[in-house]
């Protein structure tokens, strides 16, 4: 059972919360005795003894041949407990006070810096093994933190995914929430509930009805400024340089490598007026500098009808870069891959500036950095440009968490992450506040950042939504369901609406196994899991 409502969520969070309590206690002890490492289990046991008293069995011994009377035993336990409790609390209070006066809140609650790029496929980073690209900032985060290699968005399009990242709710609930003007709790609200200062820099792109950028009381970010990538980095660095007495949550939301959309339009000659606001890159780079075509470059012979329709939809509209890319030659696609890598490098340079500012201000060791993206990009796989579809390149994104204050470093983790719905519980776990009234289906990734062997709940599978709209009332609704070894695509209608891929032997999703008898059991299993998902969540997927 992986899908939960509010109450089970609280129960499931206990392992993570317990581990977090241990880590906080360890941080306190380390800070108070001058940074000397103390085993957290021993620390927790000392704490428990101080609060709850010694086990009564400790005193069950003979005195001059007789058992100690139970009345005396209890009194002795209570007296000792009281002394230990008062002493420990005084010790912690004085220690905390000293640190808080000194402005070092990180021993209790670290700062949180969330870095979001726009349209970045997980594999286009040096640390992910991408040849020909230089991303030292992203690589440094991976080297000093945990890189989750199976992190999937809940919707491979900007606005619905950002709604989910912001609220923890499923993307399909967005329109109803807008219609009903539901009061949604945001990341900013949650952080403020935990006593954090909140700031947001850069791309917003959350529907005005959901979160009007000017409505601070609603979205919870006291500082909220836009701007292009360079300017917003300046603003974020200025924010980091300011003295404060409380921990902060800062979101730095970049545009690149999203400018690959503009590059595609320029390449297709759709408009002379198109400019790349976050740094230009060559439209016609020499081919000897361009990456080769990917192994899964060709369009699948049994591609879902919905995807074929999306390729041909409104081909004359400048906004539909996918349709214009259908005229790209093989060389164009290679140049497109080269340009995409350069745009990732441009945003990496801005991220490097923010990370340097953290170091310069002495905040690096006191700040959890979460790095991710709102969705991926086709990157020429299946000759796909931009996003929207359920292929890996559109849906799998970077998800790296760095916490120098006691987490794993330089490790990868292949647990399934559902980025949109997991971000809110992860951040709440770090801040130390409970999730609001649900329904929520995300899980905190924080226990796995602290401990590779954590037994905290994880996803048995993750689900991604999408939609191909033909008009106001006509759509193809799509879902993918990813398990550790397989990926199941389902569209609400059309030819080839059901697809199953073996992600171990065919990570490029090129061979649909739906009609293969040897995979019948896996197909049945994934159908059942999807039925379970629909039954247990408020997903409104429909084939009507
Ligand atoms: Ca986007």
């Amino acid at each position: 059972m992986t899908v939960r409502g509010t109450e089970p969520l609280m129960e499931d969070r206990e392992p993570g919360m317990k581990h977090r309590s241990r880590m906080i206690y360890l941080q306190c002890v380390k800070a108070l005795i001058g940074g000397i490492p103390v085993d957290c289990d021993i620390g927790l046991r000392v704490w428990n003894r101080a609060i709850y008293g010694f086990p009564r069995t400790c005193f069950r011994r003979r005195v001059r041949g007789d058992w100690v009377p139970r009345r005396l035993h209890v009194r002795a336990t209570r007296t000792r407990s009281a002394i230990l409790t008062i002493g420990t609390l005084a010790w912690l209070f004085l220690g905390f006070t000293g640190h808080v006066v000194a402005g070092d809140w990180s021993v209790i609650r670290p700062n949180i810096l969330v870095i979001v790029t726009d349209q970045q496929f997980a594999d286009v980073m040096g640390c992910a093994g991408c040849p020909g690209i230089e991303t030292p900032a992203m690589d440094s985060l991976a080297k000093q933190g945990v890189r989750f290699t199976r992190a999937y968005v809940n919707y491979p399009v900007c606005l619905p995914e950002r709604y989910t990242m912001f609220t923890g709710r499923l993307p399909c609930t967005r329109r109803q929430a807008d219609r009903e003007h539901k009061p949604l709790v945001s990341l900013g609200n949650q952080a403020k509930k935990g006593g954090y200062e909140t700031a947001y820099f850069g791309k917003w792109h959350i529907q005005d009805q959901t979160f009007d950028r000017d409505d601070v009381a609603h979205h919870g970010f006291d500082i909220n400024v836009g701007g292009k990538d360079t300017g917003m980095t300046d603003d974020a660095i200025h924010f980091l340089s300011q003295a404060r007495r409380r921990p902060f949550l800062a979101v730095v939301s970049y545009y690149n490598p999203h400018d690959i959309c503009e590059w595609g339009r320029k390449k297709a000659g759709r408009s002379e007026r198109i400019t790349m606001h976050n740094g230009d890159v060559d439209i016609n780079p020499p081919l000897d500098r361009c990456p080769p075509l990917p192994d899964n470059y060709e369009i699948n012979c049994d591609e879902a009808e919905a995807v074929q329709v999306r390729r041909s939809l409104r081909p004359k509209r400048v906004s539909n870069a996918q349709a214009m890319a259908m005229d790209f030659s093989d060389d164009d696609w290679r140049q497109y891959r080269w340009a995409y890598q350069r745009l990732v490098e441009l945003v990496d340079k801005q991220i490097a500036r923010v990370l340097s500012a953290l170091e310069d201000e002495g905040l690096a060791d006191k700040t959890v950095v979460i790095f991710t993206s709102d969705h991926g990009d086709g990157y020429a796989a299946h000759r796909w440009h931009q996003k929207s579809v359920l292929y890996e390149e559109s849906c799998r994104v970077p998800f790296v968490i760095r916490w120098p204050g006691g987490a794993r470093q330089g490790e990868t983790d292949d647990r399934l992450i559902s980025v949109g719905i997991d971000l809110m519980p992860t951040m709440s776990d770090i801040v130390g506040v409970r999730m609001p009234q649900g329904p929520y289906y995300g899980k905190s990734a924080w226990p796995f950042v602290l401990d590779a062997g954590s037994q905290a709940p994880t996803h048995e599978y993750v689900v991604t939504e999408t939609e191909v709209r033909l008009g106001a009332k006509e759509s193809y609704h799509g879902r993918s369901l990813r398990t550790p070894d397989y990926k199941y695509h389902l569209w609400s209608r059309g030819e080839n609406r059901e697809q199953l891929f073996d992600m171990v032997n065919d990570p490029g999703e090129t061979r649909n196994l739906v009609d293969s008898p040897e995979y019948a059991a896996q197909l049945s299993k994934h159908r059942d899991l999807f039925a379970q998902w629909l039954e247990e969540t408020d997903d409104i997927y429909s084939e009507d």
Side-chain angles (χ1 to χ4, degrees):
M1 189 71 69
T2 62
V3 180
R4 309 179 307 275
T6 304
E7 291 309 313
L9 179 68
M10 292 301 114
E11 292 170 12
D12 286 354
R13 278 166 50 79
E14 287 308 314
M17 294 297 287
K18 183 178 178 184
H19 192 90
R20 181 179 176 281
S21 300
R22 290 183 175 187
M23 293 305 297
I24 289 174
Y25 184 68
L26 175 60
Q27 292 299 319
C28 298
V29 172
K30 285 171 68 177
L32 291 171
I33 64 176
I36 300 172
V38 176
D39 177 79
C40 60
D41 284 315
I42 294 174
L44 189 67
R45 281 200 291 276
V46 172
W47 172 264
N48 285 338
R49 295 296 174 265
I51 297 298
Y52 302 115
F54 286 91
R56 293 179 178 183
T57 51
C58 292
F59 296 89
R60 286 177 184 173
R61 58 187 173 83
R62 286 176 184 272
V63 177
R64 297 191 192 98
D66 297 321
W67 289 100
V68 172
R70 184 173 179 76
R71 185 170 55 83
L72 293 178
H73 155 68
V74 173
R75 185 180 300 157
T77 303
R78 285 180 178 166
T79 302
R80 186 170 293 202
S81 295
I83 293 170
L84 279 168
T85 301
I86 293 169
T88 304
L89 290 176
W91 178 55
L92 289 171
F93 174 76
L94 292 172
F96 277 148
T97 305
H99 279 276
V100 171
V101 168
D104 187 2
W105 280 93
S106 70
V107 297
I108 310 168
R109 291 171 302 170
N111 305 310
I112 303 172
L113 173 64
V114 181
I115 299 173
V116 184
T117 57
D118 192 333
Q119 200 159 318
Q120 184 177 355
F121 173 38
D123 288 357
V124 189
M125 299 187 289
C127 57
C130 179
I133 194 170
E134 293 184 4
T135 51
M138 297 171 191
D139 298 351
S140 73
L141 289 174
K143 187 176 181 182
Q144 299 160 4
V146 183
R147 181 168 67 89
F148 291 88
T149 58
R150 290 176 180 166
Y152 290 82
V153 297
N154 290 86
Y155 201 119
V157 174
C158 194
L159 199 153
E161 177 63 12
R162 286 168 188 261
Y163 161 83
T164 297
M165 293 169 78
F166 231 65
T167 64
R169 303 298 184 105
L170 295 184
C172 60
T173 66
R174 178 175 59 86
R175 291 192 179 112
Q176 184 181 358
D178 281 344
R179 280 195 299 272
E180 298 177 358
H181 303 288
K182 280 189 175 178
L184 297 164
V185 178
S186 77
L187 289 178
N189 303 137
Q190 277 289 87
K192 288 187 80 168
K193 194 162 69 176
Y196 276 55
E197 286 186 29
T198 53
Y200 193 104
F201 303 95
K203 184 168 181 174
W204 185 249
H205 209 182
I206 302 169
Q207 208 167 25
D208 282 350
Q209 297 95 309
T210 308
F211 286 109
D212 183 340
R213 190 160 200 168
D214 296 329
D215 190 351
V216 174
H218 190 196
H219 59 60
F221 285 98
D222 297 323
I223 299 171
N224 197 333
V225 292
K228 300 303 178 187
D229 284 1
T230 302
M232 56 176 272
T233 304
D234 295 340
D235 292 336
I237 290 172
H238 177 68
F239 172 81
L240 295 175
S241 71
Q242 295 175 319
R244 55 179 51 83
R245 298 180 66 83
R246 291 188 291 150
F248 66 79
L249 164 70
V251 179
V252 184
S253 175
Y254 287 109
Y255 283 85
N256 261 331
H258 182 277
D259 278 357
I260 194 65
C261 301
E262 311 305 332
W263 186 95
R265 290 170 189 131
K266 288 179 77 171
K267 184 72 176 173
R270 290 303 178 98
S271 174
E272 294 298 320
R273 292 175 297 172
I274 291 173
T275 55
M276 299 169 73
H277 297 289
N278 301 288
D280 211 351
V281 298
D282 196 349
I283 294 295
N284 293 300
L287 286 170
D288 60 0
R289 293 166 55 196
C290 295
L293 295 169
D295 293 339
N296 58 349
Y297 171 62
E298 296 300 340
I299 297 172
N300 292 356
C301 61
D302 56 354
E303 187 171 69
E305 178 184 306
V307 181
Q308 296 177 41
V309 167
R310 181 67 180 79
R311 289 182 189 277
S312 59
L313 208 57
R314 300 186 291 272
K316 293 185 179 177
R317 283 181 58 168
V318 172
S319 60
N320 193 351
Q322 175 52 42
M324 70 184 72
M326 292 307 294
D327 296 330
F328 278 6
S329 67
D330 290 356
D331 289 347
D332 290 339
W333 281 112
R334 288 184 57 204
Q335 290 173 321
Y336 155 79
R337 281 164 65 85
W338 177 91
Y340 186 72
Q341 290 186 3
R342 304 291 80 75
L343 291 168
V344 172
E345 289 177 344
L346 282 179
V347 74
D348 187 83
K349 286 184 171 62
Q350 299 301 327
I351 294 172
R353 293 179 59 211
V354 175
L355 297 181
S356 292
L358 274 185
E359 292 282 351
D360 295 344
E361 301 296 336
L363 296 170
D365 290 343
K366 304 170 184 175
T367 304
V368 176
V369 179
I370 302 175
F371 165 56
T372 189
S373 191
D374 64 346
H375 51 80
D377 181 273
Y379 199 42
H382 314 281
R383 302 191 191 216
W384 194 263
H385 175 32
Q386 295 195 354
K387 50 261 185 176
S388 307
V389 287
L390 299 170
Y391 292 127
E392 285 287 281
E393 292 77 8
S394 287
C395 298
R396 189 159 51 79
V397 292
F399 194 71
V400 182
I401 301 182
R402 182 186 79 173
W403 168 228
R408 302 160 65 194
Q409 295 194 4
E411 297 182 29
T412 57
D413 193 308
D414 62 2
R415 290 177 174 89
L416 290 165
I417 299 290
S418 191
V419 173
I421 58 174
D422 287 354
L423 192 58
M424 174 83 94
T426 300
M427 192 211 68
S428 299
D429 213 354
I430 300 168
V431 169
V433 295
R434 287 189 174 260
M435 289 287 284
Q437 184 71 27
Y440 293 102
Y441 311 104
K443 299 175 191 293
S444 171
W446 188 234
F448 314 125
V449 176
L450 301 176
D451 178 9
S454 171
Q455 297 302 305
T458 187
H459 291 285
E460 181 186 0
Y461 58 84
V462 294
V463 173
T464 300
E465 308 174 17
T466 195
E467 183 180 7
V468 174
R469 302 192 79 177
L470 301 177
K473 295 183 179 178
E474 195 176 2
S475 293
Y476 293 82
H477 298 280
R479 297 288 186 274
S480 72
L481 186 145
R482 176 72 152 100
T483 52
D485 294 339
Y486 292 90
K487 196 166 160 195
Y488 174 68
H489 298 199
L490 183 65
W491 292 91
S492 57
R493 63 195 181 101
E495 294 289 319
N496 305 317
R497 58 184 286 265
E498 199 173 28
Q499 315 227 328
L500 179 72
F501 298 101
D502 179 344
M503 301 304 289
V504 175
N505 298 303
D506 180 28
E509 296 165 289
T510 63
R511 296 185 296 279
N512 180 12
L513 304 170
V514 159
D515 295 325
S516 300
E518 61 266 42
Y519 290 92
Q522 285 298 337
L523 178 61
S524 177
K525 172 188 170 182
H526 286 73
R527 285 172 173 169
D528 291 346
L529 287 176
F530 187 62
Q532 176 189 336
W533 167 261
L534 292 182
E535 184 180 334
E536 296 181 348
T537 70
D538 53 353
D539 189 337
I540 56 172
Y541 171 84
S542 169
E543 295 176 1
D544 295 336

